[in-house]
Amino acid sequence: MNIYRSIKRLPESVREKFYMKLREKALLRTRARLVESRVDIDSLSDEELEVIIADEEDKLIGEYKTRGILALLALLGISWI
């Protein structure tokens, strides 16, 4: 099942909280990524920052998908290792 469709089925207040938390995590990861690469945040335009943050949000959603699948397999007692 597509995670975006699952999220859209949630009540609006829950969706807003989810997206806010997702955005916060993406912002933290973006800051860390820029610090690691020694890039001055002030030197980037709003558009460049938005692209980096969106990339981090996509990565987080991918991780959530993977964790969801792993949790389901663990619940069912299935392992591929």
Side-chain angles (χ1 to χ4, degrees), residues 19-75:
Y19 285 120
M20 286 180 62
K21 291 291 183 182
L22 180 73
R23 187 70 169 192
E24 288 174 14
K25 284 187 176 189
L27 285 169
L28 287 173
R29 285 186 172 197
T30 298
R31 286 187 187 124
R33 186 168 148 183
L34 293 174
V35 167
E36 286 175 356
S37 53
R38 295 188 172 107
V39 173
D40 182 23
I41 295 173
D42 296 327
S43 68
L44 298 173
S45 70
D46 290 343
E47 293 82 20
E48 291 169 326
L49 278 173
E50 189 59 38
V51 168
I52 297 169
I53 293 168
D55 181 50
E56 289 299 330
E57 287 176 344
D58 289 342
K59 287 179 186 177
L60 281 167
I61 294 220
E63 289 175 18
Y64 293 157
K65 285 181 187 177
T66 302
R67 287 184 198 155
I69 292 169
L70 292 175
L72 176 62
L73 292 175
L75 180 68

Side-chain angles (χ1 to χ4, degrees), residues 6-23:
S6 299
I7 292 169
K8 286 183 180 183
R9 292 182 184 163
L10 296 172
E12 188 173 340
S13 62
V14 175
R15 269 187 306 205
E16 288 176 9
K17 287 179 184 178
F18 171 78
Y19 285 120
M20 286 180 62
K21 291 291 183 182
L22 180 73
R23 187 70 169 192

